Amino acid sequence: MKQYNWGIIGLGDIAASFANSFHQENSRIAAVASRTLTKAQTFAKEHAISTAYGSFEELLADDLIDIIYIAVPNRQHISHILKALEAGKHVLCEKAITMNSEELTVAIRLAEEKGLILAEAMTIFNMPLYHELKSLIDANRFGKLKMIQAPFGSYKEPDPNNRFFNPDLAGGALLDIGTYAVSFVRWFFTAQPKVIASVMQPFSTGVDEQSATILQNDVQEMATVSLSFQAKMPKQGIVAFEEAYIVINEYPRADEAKVYFNDGTVETIISGDTNEALNYEITNMIKIIEGTLPNQSLFLTKDVIDLLDQMQQTWIN
């Protein structure tokens, strides 16, 4: 069995969660990198990682590293993705994988040229619950899909300098929490939708503070996506079919769903473990590299980024 060595670029909170979640038989985190060696050494010591580098270039030059996990701010994703691919490394990048579709197209083309795997660390595409629900939907348990609701509200301290509201760090609700909501919708839609209407309220820095969007595809499936950085909303996704509707609470990392049938019966579906959300991403990345799992999530990610582009373009117009 091949052993895969991972390297981490970007050592913030999400990277710490990733390292804490990492439990694999056939791979390990072998090295981390930061712009300062002290920070890299501190992170490595805290997570029992053997090697720390004081530059990203040193990590990419390490021939032992097979896969790079990228957890830097959104605007820096594309630069690190391209450098990692050029160095011959597979890449798992945090969401949103790129700032726009143009960047993602360039990254996908390079990954294909190099024969490498590129994927986004989107929990929704990796949680077992969603695959279980998709199997039931494909078996026509609930009838035809009609409507999806995907709200996500998270109160952030209104500080123009933090990453949530700083345009230089690609702030705004859309590229942070919006990727979850749109990914939730895209997972269930049977075909790629278009943005029918979208409105946005900006923060003082110009980034999107909140928005509401209507999506629809050619088979008349519809969805609403509502986002806010200044008001909490339950992360409760609702997927409505002709014969039942599904309610999924805390949908970004959900392991349980309730199905309410038109005849009054209720079914609870449990699959996976919320606490293992990041580990599912790691496991599936290895499966994709080994060819035992198709890289379907990348195509869904491409659709999601395209929708985010459409929403932002609507706001400009």
Side-chain angles (χ1 to χ4, degrees), residues 45 64 71 81 85 94 98 105 118 158 166 174 182 197 200 206 235 253 282 290 307 316:
K45 183 178 180 180
L64 295 178
I81 289 171
L85 292 172
E94 267 303 325
T98 57
T105 298
L118 170 66
N166 188 334
L174 185 65
V182 177
M200 181 270 285
K235 296 184 283 290
R253 299 185 179 187
I282 298 162
E290 294 186 336
L307 290 169
I316 293 172

PDB file of all heavy atoms in Angstrom, residues 45 64 71 81 85 94 98 105 118 158 166 174 182 197 200 206 235 253 282 290 307 316:
ATOM      1  N   LYS A  45       5.098  21.431  15.844  1.00  0.00           N
ATOM      2  CA  LYS A  45       5.237  20.869  17.185  1.00  0.00           C
ATOM      3  C   LYS A  45       3.883  20.570  17.802  1.00  0.00           C
ATOM      4  O   LYS A  45       3.684  19.506  18.410  1.00  0.00           O
ATOM      5  CB  LYS A  45       6.018  21.836  18.077  1.00  0.00           C
ATOM      6  CG  LYS A  45       6.272  21.309  19.482  1.00  0.00           C
ATOM      7  CD  LYS A  45       7.099  22.290  20.295  1.00  0.00           C
ATOM      8  CE  LYS A  45       7.339  21.750  21.702  1.00  0.00           C
ATOM      9  NZ  LYS A  45       8.148  22.697  22.522  1.00  0.00           N
ATOM     10  N   LEU A  64       9.500  14.336  -1.297  1.00  0.00           N
ATOM     11  CA  LEU A  64       8.720  13.352  -0.552  1.00  0.00           C
ATOM     12  C   LEU A  64       7.235  13.706  -0.479  1.00  0.00           C
ATOM     13  O   LEU A  64       6.411  12.839  -0.198  1.00  0.00           O
ATOM     14  CB  LEU A  64       9.278  13.212   0.871  1.00  0.00           C
ATOM     15  CG  LEU A  64      10.689  12.639   0.997  1.00  0.00           C
ATOM     16  CD1 LEU A  64      11.113  12.608   2.461  1.00  0.00           C
ATOM     17  CD2 LEU A  64      10.755  11.240   0.388  1.00  0.00           C
ATOM     18  N   ALA A  71      -4.569  26.285   2.568  1.00  0.00           N
ATOM     19  CA  ALA A  71      -5.511  26.908   3.504  1.00  0.00           C
ATOM     20  C   ALA A  71      -5.170  28.372   3.743  1.00  0.00           C
ATOM     21  O   ALA A  71      -5.338  28.896   4.847  1.00  0.00           O
ATOM     22  CB  ALA A  71      -5.524  26.138   4.823  1.00  0.00           C
ATOM     23  N   ILE A  81      -2.112  27.166  -5.925  1.00  0.00           N
ATOM     24  CA  ILE A  81      -2.551  25.992  -6.695  1.00  0.00           C
ATOM     25  C   ILE A  81      -1.628  25.779  -7.889  1.00  0.00           C
ATOM     26  O   ILE A  81      -1.128  24.666  -8.129  1.00  0.00           O
ATOM     27  CB  ILE A  81      -4.009  26.164  -7.177  1.00  0.00           C
ATOM     28  CG1 ILE A  81      -4.986  26.055  -6.008  1.00  0.00           C
ATOM     29  CG2 ILE A  81      -4.346  25.111  -8.239  1.00  0.00           C
ATOM     30  CD1 ILE A  81      -6.422  26.419  -6.376  1.00  0.00           C
ATOM     31  N   LEU A  85       0.897  22.590  -8.520  1.00  0.00           N
ATOM     32  CA  LEU A  85       0.732  21.721  -9.685  1.00  0.00           C
ATOM     33  C   LEU A  85       2.006  21.707 -10.537  1.00  0.00           C
ATOM     34  O   LEU A  85       2.431  20.652 -11.022  1.00  0.00           O
ATOM     35  CB  LEU A  85      -0.467  22.181 -10.520  1.00  0.00           C
ATOM     36  CG  LEU A  85      -1.851  21.999  -9.878  1.00  0.00           C
ATOM     37  CD1 LEU A  85      -2.924  22.676 -10.726  1.00  0.00           C
ATOM     38  CD2 LEU A  85      -2.187  20.521  -9.691  1.00  0.00           C
ATOM     39  N   GLU A  94      -8.796  24.692   0.009  1.00  0.00           N
ATOM     40  CA  GLU A  94      -9.974  25.135   0.746  1.00  0.00           C
ATOM     41  C   GLU A  94     -10.924  25.920  -0.155  1.00  0.00           C
ATOM     42  O   GLU A  94     -10.533  26.472  -1.175  1.00  0.00           O
ATOM     43  CB  GLU A  94      -9.564  25.985   1.953  1.00  0.00           C
ATOM     44  CG  GLU A  94      -9.410  25.195   3.235  1.00  0.00           C
ATOM     45  CD  GLU A  94     -10.674  24.426   3.620  1.00  0.00           C
ATOM     46  OE1 GLU A  94     -11.790  24.920   3.386  1.00  0.00           O
ATOM     47  OE2 GLU A  94     -10.544  23.310   4.143  1.00  0.00           O
ATOM     48  N   THR A  98     -11.231  29.048  -6.047  1.00  0.00           N
ATOM     49  CA  THR A  98     -10.658  30.193  -6.760  1.00  0.00           C
ATOM     50  C   THR A  98     -11.615  31.367  -6.664  1.00  0.00           C
ATOM     51  O   THR A  98     -12.768  31.221  -6.251  1.00  0.00           O
ATOM     52  CB  THR A  98     -10.397  29.872  -8.247  1.00  0.00           C
ATOM     53  OG1 THR A  98     -11.629  29.455  -8.861  1.00  0.00           O
ATOM     54  CG2 THR A  98      -9.351  28.786  -8.411  1.00  0.00           C
ATOM     55  N   THR A 105     -10.566  27.546 -14.458  1.00  0.00           N
ATOM     56  CA  THR A 105     -10.315  26.925 -15.758  1.00  0.00           C
ATOM     57  C   THR A 105      -8.824  26.762 -16.007  1.00  0.00           C
ATOM     58  O   THR A 105      -8.358  25.712 -16.483  1.00  0.00           O
ATOM     59  CB  THR A 105     -10.943  27.768 -16.883  1.00  0.00           C
ATOM     60  OG1 THR A 105     -12.370  27.813 -16.698  1.00  0.00           O
ATOM     61  CG2 THR A 105     -10.639  27.177 -18.251  1.00  0.00           C
ATOM     62  N   LEU A 118      -6.817  17.777  -8.773  1.00  0.00           N
ATOM     63  CA  LEU A 118      -7.162  19.047  -8.137  1.00  0.00           C
ATOM     64  C   LEU A 118      -8.575  18.911  -7.597  1.00  0.00           C
ATOM     65  O   LEU A 118      -9.478  18.471  -8.309  1.00  0.00           O
ATOM     66  CB  LEU A 118      -7.099  20.189  -9.156  1.00  0.00           C
ATOM     67  CG  LEU A 118      -7.662  21.538  -8.709  1.00  0.00           C
ATOM     68  CD1 LEU A 118      -6.839  22.134  -7.574  1.00  0.00           C
ATOM     69  CD2 LEU A 118      -7.734  22.512  -9.897  1.00  0.00           C
ATOM     70  N   PRO A 158     -18.242  43.779  12.903  1.00  0.00           N
ATOM     71  CA  PRO A 158     -18.089  44.673  11.741  1.00  0.00           C
ATOM     72  C   PRO A 158     -16.787  45.452  11.740  1.00  0.00           C
ATOM     73  O   PRO A 158     -16.755  46.678  11.855  1.00  0.00           O
ATOM     74  CB  PRO A 158     -19.304  45.605  11.878  1.00  0.00           C
ATOM     75  CG  PRO A 158     -19.599  45.633  13.346  1.00  0.00           C
ATOM     76  CD  PRO A 158     -19.263  44.244  13.850  1.00  0.00           C
ATOM     77  N   ASN A 166     -12.688  42.631   4.489  1.00  0.00           N
ATOM     78  CA  ASN A 166     -11.566  43.263   3.810  1.00  0.00           C
ATOM     79  C   ASN A 166     -11.542  42.847   2.337  1.00  0.00           C
ATOM     80  O   ASN A 166     -11.311  41.682   2.029  1.00  0.00           O
ATOM     81  CB  ASN A 166     -10.260  42.853   4.493  1.00  0.00           C
ATOM     82  CG  ASN A 166      -9.063  43.623   3.974  1.00  0.00           C
ATOM     83  OD1 ASN A 166      -9.056  44.100   2.839  1.00  0.00           O
ATOM     84  ND2 ASN A 166      -8.042  43.746   4.805  1.00  0.00           N
ATOM     85  N   LEU A 174     -20.353  35.921   0.226  1.00  0.00           N
ATOM     86  CA  LEU A 174     -20.501  34.991  -0.887  1.00  0.00           C
ATOM     87  C   LEU A 174     -19.354  33.993  -0.969  1.00  0.00           C
ATOM     88  O   LEU A 174     -19.574  32.782  -1.077  1.00  0.00           O
ATOM     89  CB  LEU A 174     -20.619  35.755  -2.208  1.00  0.00           C
ATOM     90  CG  LEU A 174     -20.910  34.891  -3.436  1.00  0.00           C
ATOM     91  CD1 LEU A 174     -22.284  34.246  -3.331  1.00  0.00           C
ATOM     92  CD2 LEU A 174     -20.805  35.712  -4.713  1.00  0.00           C
ATOM     93  N   VAL A 182     -24.508  27.477  -2.021  1.00  0.00           N
ATOM     94  CA  VAL A 182     -24.634  27.187  -3.454  1.00  0.00           C
ATOM     95  C   VAL A 182     -24.217  25.742  -3.740  1.00  0.00           C
ATOM     96  O   VAL A 182     -24.807  25.076  -4.595  1.00  0.00           O
ATOM     97  CB  VAL A 182     -23.819  28.197  -4.285  1.00  0.00           C
ATOM     98  CG1 VAL A 182     -23.893  27.850  -5.772  1.00  0.00           C
ATOM     99  CG2 VAL A 182     -24.345  29.616  -4.058  1.00  0.00           C
ATOM    100  N   ALA A 197     -32.362  35.983 -10.449  1.00  0.00           N
ATOM    101  CA  ALA A 197     -32.346  37.306  -9.825  1.00  0.00           C
ATOM    102  C   ALA A 197     -31.466  37.248  -8.592  1.00  0.00           C
ATOM    103  O   ALA A 197     -31.396  36.221  -7.913  1.00  0.00           O
ATOM    104  CB  ALA A 197     -33.753  37.760  -9.455  1.00  0.00           C
ATOM    105  N   MET A 200     -27.953  42.427  -3.487  1.00  0.00           N
ATOM    106  CA  MET A 200     -26.893  42.414  -2.486  1.00  0.00           C
ATOM    107  C   MET A 200     -26.859  43.732  -1.732  1.00  0.00           C
ATOM    108  O   MET A 200     -27.046  44.803  -2.315  1.00  0.00           O
ATOM    109  CB  MET A 200     -25.543  42.169  -3.172  1.00  0.00           C
ATOM    110  CG  MET A 200     -24.344  42.109  -2.238  1.00  0.00           C
ATOM    111  SD  MET A 200     -23.550  43.735  -1.963  1.00  0.00           S
ATOM    112  CE  MET A 200     -22.674  43.961  -3.506  1.00  0.00           C
ATOM    113  N   GLY A 206     -17.398  47.749   0.757  1.00  0.00           N
ATOM    114  CA  GLY A 206     -17.799  47.394  -0.598  1.00  0.00           C
ATOM    115  C   GLY A 206     -18.052  45.918  -0.819  1.00  0.00           C
ATOM    116  O   GLY A 206     -18.668  45.538  -1.822  1.00  0.00           O
ATOM    117  N   LYS A 235     -28.592  27.269   9.707  1.00  0.00           N
ATOM    118  CA  LYS A 235     -28.083  26.582   8.513  1.00  0.00           C
ATOM    119  C   LYS A 235     -28.963  25.359   8.269  1.00  0.00           C
ATOM    120  O   LYS A 235     -28.527  24.214   8.408  1.00  0.00           O
ATOM    121  CB  LYS A 235     -26.616  26.218   8.717  1.00  0.00           C
ATOM    122  CG  LYS A 235     -25.711  27.421   8.867  1.00  0.00           C
ATOM    123  CD  LYS A 235     -24.253  27.049   8.968  1.00  0.00           C
ATOM    124  CE  LYS A 235     -23.872  26.517  10.331  1.00  0.00           C
ATOM    125  NZ  LYS A 235     -23.890  27.575  11.368  1.00  0.00           N
ATOM    126  N   ARG A 253     -21.932  20.274   7.436  1.00  0.00           N
ATOM    127  CA  ARG A 253     -21.272  19.047   7.904  1.00  0.00           C
ATOM    128  C   ARG A 253     -22.295  18.059   8.461  1.00  0.00           C
ATOM    129  O   ARG A 253     -22.024  17.330   9.411  1.00  0.00           O
ATOM    130  CB  ARG A 253     -20.228  19.378   8.972  1.00  0.00           C
ATOM    131  CG  ARG A 253     -19.122  20.284   8.478  1.00  0.00           C
ATOM    132  CD  ARG A 253     -18.055  20.489   9.533  1.00  0.00           C
ATOM    133  NE  ARG A 253     -16.984  21.353   9.037  1.00  0.00           N
ATOM    134  CZ  ARG A 253     -15.856  21.595   9.691  1.00  0.00           C
ATOM    135  NH1 ARG A 253     -15.649  21.034  10.881  1.00  0.00           N
ATOM    136  NH2 ARG A 253     -14.936  22.388   9.183  1.00  0.00           N
ATOM    137  N   ILE A 282     -10.212  14.116   3.133  1.00  0.00           N
ATOM    138  CA  ILE A 282      -8.890  13.510   2.991  1.00  0.00           C
ATOM    139  C   ILE A 282      -9.000  12.111   2.383  1.00  0.00           C
ATOM    140  O   ILE A 282      -8.277  11.758   1.439  1.00  0.00           O
ATOM    141  CB  ILE A 282      -8.192  13.451   4.361  1.00  0.00           C
ATOM    142  CG1 ILE A 282      -7.993  14.865   4.917  1.00  0.00           C
ATOM    143  CG2 ILE A 282      -6.867  12.715   4.261  1.00  0.00           C
ATOM    144  CD1 ILE A 282      -7.717  14.911   6.404  1.00  0.00           C
ATOM    145  N   GLU A 290      -6.077   7.505  -6.431  1.00  0.00           N
ATOM    146  CA  GLU A 290      -5.857   6.100  -6.752  1.00  0.00           C
ATOM    147  C   GLU A 290      -6.811   5.572  -7.827  1.00  0.00           C
ATOM    148  O   GLU A 290      -6.703   4.423  -8.243  1.00  0.00           O
ATOM    149  CB  GLU A 290      -5.979   5.264  -5.479  1.00  0.00           C
ATOM    150  CG  GLU A 290      -4.862   5.564  -4.475  1.00  0.00           C
ATOM    151  CD  GLU A 290      -4.882   4.653  -3.268  1.00  0.00           C
ATOM    152  OE1 GLU A 290      -5.972   4.110  -2.958  1.00  0.00           O
ATOM    153  OE2 GLU A 290      -3.818   4.491  -2.632  1.00  0.00           O
ATOM    154  N   LEU A 307     -21.703  29.915 -10.814  1.00  0.00           N
ATOM    155  CA  LEU A 307     -22.874  30.579 -10.229  1.00  0.00           C
ATOM    156  C   LEU A 307     -22.466  31.769  -9.366  1.00  0.00           C
ATOM    157  O   LEU A 307     -23.133  32.817  -9.381  1.00  0.00           O
ATOM    158  CB  LEU A 307     -23.681  29.579  -9.404  1.00  0.00           C
ATOM    159  CG  LEU A 307     -24.413  28.508 -10.214  1.00  0.00           C
ATOM    160  CD1 LEU A 307     -24.963  27.419  -9.297  1.00  0.00           C
ATOM    161  CD2 LEU A 307     -25.544  29.135 -11.026  1.00  0.00           C
ATOM    162  N   ILE A 316     -23.049  43.865 -10.043  1.00  0.00           N
ATOM    163  CA  ILE A 316     -22.358  44.952 -10.730  1.00  0.00           C
ATOM    164  C   ILE A 316     -23.302  45.662 -11.672  1.00  0.00           C
ATOM    165  O   ILE A 316     -23.302  46.894 -11.793  1.00  0.00           O
ATOM    166  CB  ILE A 316     -21.131  44.407 -11.500  1.00  0.00           C
ATOM    167  CG1 ILE A 316     -20.074  43.885 -10.523  1.00  0.00           C
ATOM    168  CG2 ILE A 316     -20.534  45.488 -12.400  1.00  0.00           C
ATOM    169  CD1 ILE A 316     -18.926  43.159 -11.170  1.00  0.00           C
TER     170      ILE A 316
END
